[in-house]
Amino acid sequence: MDSLATKLILNAHSKRSLQLLMSLEVNSDLTLSEISQKTNLSKRTIQADLNDLRYLFGDAIDLNGSLSGMRMTIHDYECYYAKKKLFFDQEPLIRMVTSFFSKKKRTLPEWGAELNFSLSTLNRMLTTLRDELAEYHIELITSPLSIRGEEVMIRKFYWDLFCESTYFEFDDSSELSSKIGQLFPDISLKKVKKIIHLTYQRMGEGELSFPVHVREFLTNSYLYKEILATLCQ
C-alpha cells in the first residue's frame, strides 16, 4: 500500500478496502489476525469491510472464511480489476492529477464546483498532493491548478502514478508499439505502450536534459534508433 496512487487516496474506507484486497492478492489464505497485523486494522473493522467488498464485487470474487482463516478467489478478473479501479477513479486528488496529465486545466473554484467541496476543504486535500509532489521537486500551481518543475521529474511523477500501477491502462494500437513488440519480443509490450503514451502526452511540454553518458547510451541503442526512425516517418 505504498505506491504513489494509494498515497493519493484520501477516503479512509477506500484505503482500507485496498489494503484488504492487496493483502489477499498476495496471500489468498490469511487468518483475521494475520490480516489485522498486515493492515493495522481491528478484526471488527476487517469483518465489516469484507462484507462491503462481498457486496461490491458480487460474483466476481468469493470471500470465504471465518476467524480462523480467510480465502479470496477471483472468478472474473476483468470485472474484479474494473471495480477495484473505481477506488482510484473516485478519488479527488487522482482525478485532479489525471486532468493535469490530460492537459485539462481548471481553477480551484471550478474544481470545488465539480467535486462539490468548499475551497477550504480542497486546500486541505491539496496539502497531501503538495507533499507527494515535493518528493519530485515539483510545485503545485493554483491558478489554474497545475504542476511545474523539471520535465524529467514531472515524467517520473506521472510514470510512478500511472505506469507503475496495474490499475491505469492506456489503449494503444500504434505502429510504433507493434513494431517494438515484433523486434523485441522479450520486452513487456504493456510497459512499452505506457512509455509511448507518456511520451506522446508530454511532447512540447518541457525540455528533457540527460547526462552525457545517458545520451551516448541512447545514441548507440538499437531500440532507440528504431523508435526514432519510426517517429520520423
Side-chain angles (χ1 to χ4, degrees):
M1 273 294 290
D2 59 351
S3 71
L4 178 57
T6 52
K7 288 178 180 179
L8 295 182
I9 292 178
L10 301 179
N11 182 281
H13 184 267
S14 295
K15 192 179 286 287
R16 294 199 311 269
S17 297
L18 287 167
Q19 283 183 295
L20 291 174
L21 291 172
M22 291 178 184
S23 295
L24 289 167
E25 284 175 8
V26 174
N27 188 340
S28 59
D29 287 292
L30 290 172
T31 66
L32 279 186
S33 294
E34 289 172 332
I35 296 174
S36 179
Q37 291 174 358
K38 287 177 177 292
T39 60
N40 292 320
L41 301 173
S42 70
K43 293 180 181 179
R44 177 176 293 181
T45 298
I46 292 170
Q47 287 178 312
D49 287 344
L50 288 173
N51 286 333
D52 291 340
L53 291 173
R54 290 187 183 97
Y55 178 79
L56 173 64
F57 286 90
D59 295 334
I61 64 171
D62 273 334
L63 282 171
N64 298 315
S66 59
L67 290 173
S68 59
M70 180 62 57
R71 167 184 284 272
M72 181 173 74
T73 304
I74 303 175
H75 299 297
D76 186 335
Y77 281 89
E78 183 177 350
C79 180
Y80 172 74
Y81 284 109
K83 290 191 174 185
K84 188 175 179 181
K85 186 174 180 291
L86 290 175
F87 288 114
F88 295 95
D89 291 343
Q90 295 169 355
E91 281 296 313
L93 292 183
I94 291 179
R95 287 176 61 181
M96 289 179 186
V97 174
T98 302
S99 178
F100 303 161
F101 183 68
S102 302
K103 304 177 184 178
K104 298 175 182 176
K105 297 181 180 180
R106 298 181 178 89
T107 63
L108 208 56
E110 287 172 338
W111 274 114
E114 179 170 329
L115 299 172
N116 198 27
F117 288 139
S118 68
L119 292 182
S120 58
T121 299
L122 275 179
N123 279 314
R124 285 196 299 272
M125 291 165 46
L126 289 174
T127 299
T128 298
L129 180 56
R130 284 191 177 92
D131 291 343
E132 295 304 324
L133 289 171
E135 296 294 318
Y136 299 81
H137 307 288
I138 298 173
E139 182 183 2
L140 183 68
I141 308 300
T142 56
S143 188
L145 207 60
S146 59
I147 59 176
R148 180 172 63 195
E150 290 187 22
E151 181 62 20
V152 67
M153 296 308 296
I154 290 177
R155 294 194 189 195
K156 178 67 169 70
F157 172 75
Y158 284 136
W159 176 267
D160 289 347
L161 178 61
F162 296 122
C163 303
E164 290 295 341
S165 169
T166 58
Y167 309 109
F168 298 96
E169 298 295 337
F170 300 123
D171 294 325
D172 178 75
S173 57
S174 69
E175 176 188 347
L176 180 56
S177 59
S178 299
K179 187 172 184 179
I180 292 173
Q182 294 169 359
L183 291 170
F184 305 94
D186 295 333
I187 293 178
S188 167
L189 191 56
K190 181 177 289 189
K191 182 160 288 191
V192 168
K193 289 179 178 181
K194 290 181 176 182
I195 293 171
I196 293 171
H197 185 89
L198 177 57
T199 302
Y200 278 140
Q201 194 68 23
R202 292 301 300 174
M203 276 186 174
E205 291 297 313
E207 182 177 344
L208 284 173
S209 58
F210 298 102
V212 174
H213 71 280
V214 174
R215 292 200 300 270
E216 290 177 348
F217 171 80
L218 289 174
T219 302
N220 296 316
S221 166
Y222 177 61
L223 176 58
Y224 173 78
K225 291 176 181 178
E226 286 295 323
I227 293 174
L228 189 61
T230 303
L231 288 174
C232 293
Q233 288 179 356

